[in-house]
Amino acid sequence: MPADLAASSATNPAVLQVKPLGFPWATLDPFLFCVYHDDAYPKANAQMGPDASLAGRNIGQDFARKDGWNMYHGSTVPGFPAHPHRGFETVTIVRKGLIDHSDSLGATARFGRGDVQWLTAGQGVVHSEMFPLLDTAKPNPLELFQIWLNLPAAGKMAAPHFTMFWSQDIPRRVVTDDAGGTTEVAIIAGRLGDAGAAPLAPPPDSWAAQAEANVAIWTIRMTPGAHYTLPAATGSGTQRQLYFFKGTSITVAGQPVTGHAAITLRAGAAVELVNTGGEEAEFLLLQGKPIGEPVVQYGPFVMNTQAEIAQTLADYQRTQFGGWSFADDAPVHGREPARFARYPGGHFSSGEKQD
């Protein structure tokens, strides 16, 4: 481990820990899981899958990153066919490419290019997340985060809730420092200090909907040489994790970091970030007050006790969380690239800018 990835609060009171990024990324309560997908898919074939041989891949369980991309659980189109969740939320931030969503609530969506989907699984939902490749002439890069945010015991059995945050509606703040460097912050959850518009409302039963929970989800992009100060979090007990995942070198509260890292910050301290490298530096920030309850996980189910996991398995076997109304377990939504969402009950919204 490089020396700069072994620092602690003993040398820098604003930086509690710096650890190399793994897969998935380590998280702090109230977050359960964060995975970063960065797949260099080739041009598409006629079935919206990769126009490349799948020989040598463990189809249905392909995570080996052969040739710079994975099929994951997909067999024709990459992605994650129908699977259940209970007891937490998924927040999916798509930076490049598209995701086709279908679920047992009756919702469908195609989203990407900066959009965010926020899904409260609550008492139970089945969904699929497929990655259709639409360009038959050029590569089809895909880049996304999926974040699992826990629900407190009082919300574990809340009604499932599906919502979309279209890219053009997400507040962004651009700051230019005295030397002309720029920093852009996309605010998915949690107000950024006193500046800018309020973030879009999280689902009603989310831990993020509780003001005292101090939940924040931000992405940060800094030009070479840029300086930016993260404002201190408000409230007591908040935990803050900063993931440095693109760029070559930075300083955090004066401490050099030259490898991609998960950086645990003291949430009550303002922290200066400096991009000391020659490329753009990018970060994901996850922050929140811990729920502080027992976590018992069994694959896609996250409850508070083993008995609740047993009940979840029985409930899923009995109800299939509403069942699956689609013709197959990995539906995709055609070749039209327009982003859209069709909500339970039939309400429709478009991710494309309206004139």
Side-chain angles (χ1 to χ4, degrees):
M1 179 185 297
D4 62 310
L5 293 186
S8 71
S9 56
T11 57
N12 189 333
V15 177
L16 302 179
Q17 188 176 59
V18 182
K19 296 177 65 177
L21 287 181
F23 186 89
W25 294 353
T27 55
L28 302 174
D29 186 1
F31 299 95
L32 298 163
F33 173 94
C34 180
V35 66
Y36 175 55
H37 296 288
D38 188 10
D39 289 285
Y41 291 116
K43 65 181 183 177
N45 61 22
Q47 291 76 43
M48 289 177 276
D51 186 15
S53 171
L54 301 183
R57 293 179 180 272
N58 183 13
I59 295 302
Q61 195 70 248
D62 177 27
F63 289 81
R65 201 166 168 75
K66 183 176 182 288
D67 301 324
W69 51 273
N70 295 318
M71 290 296 291
Y72 301 105
H73 295 304
S75 56
T76 301
V77 175
F80 296 84
H83 56 283
H85 290 304
R86 174 181 274 187
F88 64 99
E89 301 182 284
T90 60
V91 182
T92 306
I93 306 168
V94 186
R95 295 156 53 86
K96 297 177 184 175
L98 294 167
I99 292 183
D100 278 2
H101 167 93
S102 307
D103 68 38
S104 57
L105 308 176
T108 56
R110 170 165 283 177
F111 65 101
R113 302 168 188 157
D115 301 327
V116 176
Q117 182 201 75
W118 198 316
L119 180 66
T120 304
Q123 63 189 8
V125 68
V126 178
H127 74 153
S128 68
E129 304 160 291
M130 305 309 297
F131 309 151
L133 311 182
L134 301 187
D135 197 324
T136 58
K138 298 186 301 188
N140 290 268
L142 177 84
E143 185 185 5
L144 65 91
F145 304 107
Q146 185 164 96
I147 301 157
W148 289 14
L149 174 60
N150 201 10
L151 287 166
K156 291 285 190 192
M157 296 297 284
H161 189 281
F162 164 88
T163 195
M164 289 299 313
F165 292 174
W166 299 119
S167 179
Q168 64 266 23
D169 299 328
I170 295 171
R172 289 175 171 81
R173 186 181 184 208
V174 179
V175 178
T176 302
D177 61 38
D178 291 343
T182 61
T183 298
E184 178 181 304
V185 185
I187 305 162
I188 295 147
R191 186 183 286 274
L192 178 61
D194 298 324
L200 300 173
D205 293 295
S206 177
W207 185 238
Q210 308 300 315
E212 68 276 11
N214 295 324
V215 171
I217 302 173
W218 304 334
T219 61
I220 304 168
R221 185 192 309 263
M222 303 178 71
T223 60
H227 293 237
Y228 177 70
T229 299
L230 282 171
T234 58
S236 62
T238 301
Q239 299 194 119
R240 177 179 272 186
Q241 191 98 311
L242 182 70
Y243 301 91
F244 170 45
F245 69 95
K246 279 195 177 180
T248 55
S249 62
I250 58 170
T251 64
V252 181
Q255 178 175 320
V257 179
T258 58
H260 295 162
I263 304 162
T264 306
L265 300 175
R266 191 176 302 281
V271 174
E272 185 184 45
L273 306 177
V274 182
N275 180 5
T276 55
E279 304 173 2
E280 283 192 335
E282 297 195 62
F283 309 83
L284 172 70
L285 180 138
L286 299 181
Q287 167 192 297
K289 184 176 180 179
I291 294 172
E293 296 175 349
V295 172
V296 179
Q297 181 175 354
Y298 183 83
F301 307 132
V302 181
M303 303 302 289
N304 296 108
T305 68
Q306 195 63 50
E308 290 170 340
I309 291 291
Q311 185 62 56
T312 296
L313 292 168
D315 291 348
Y316 179 59
Q317 186 174 37
R318 186 181 75 256
T319 69
Q320 298 295 295
F321 294 162
W324 191 249
S325 62
F326 303 92
D328 61 68
D329 66 353
V332 292
H333 305 321
R335 290 196 163 275
E336 171 57 50
R339 293 132 58 228
F340 73 91
R342 185 169 285 105
Y343 290 77
H347 172 69
F348 181 88
S349 70
S350 173
E352 306 305 319
K353 291 184 179 180
Q354 303 297 312
D355 294 330

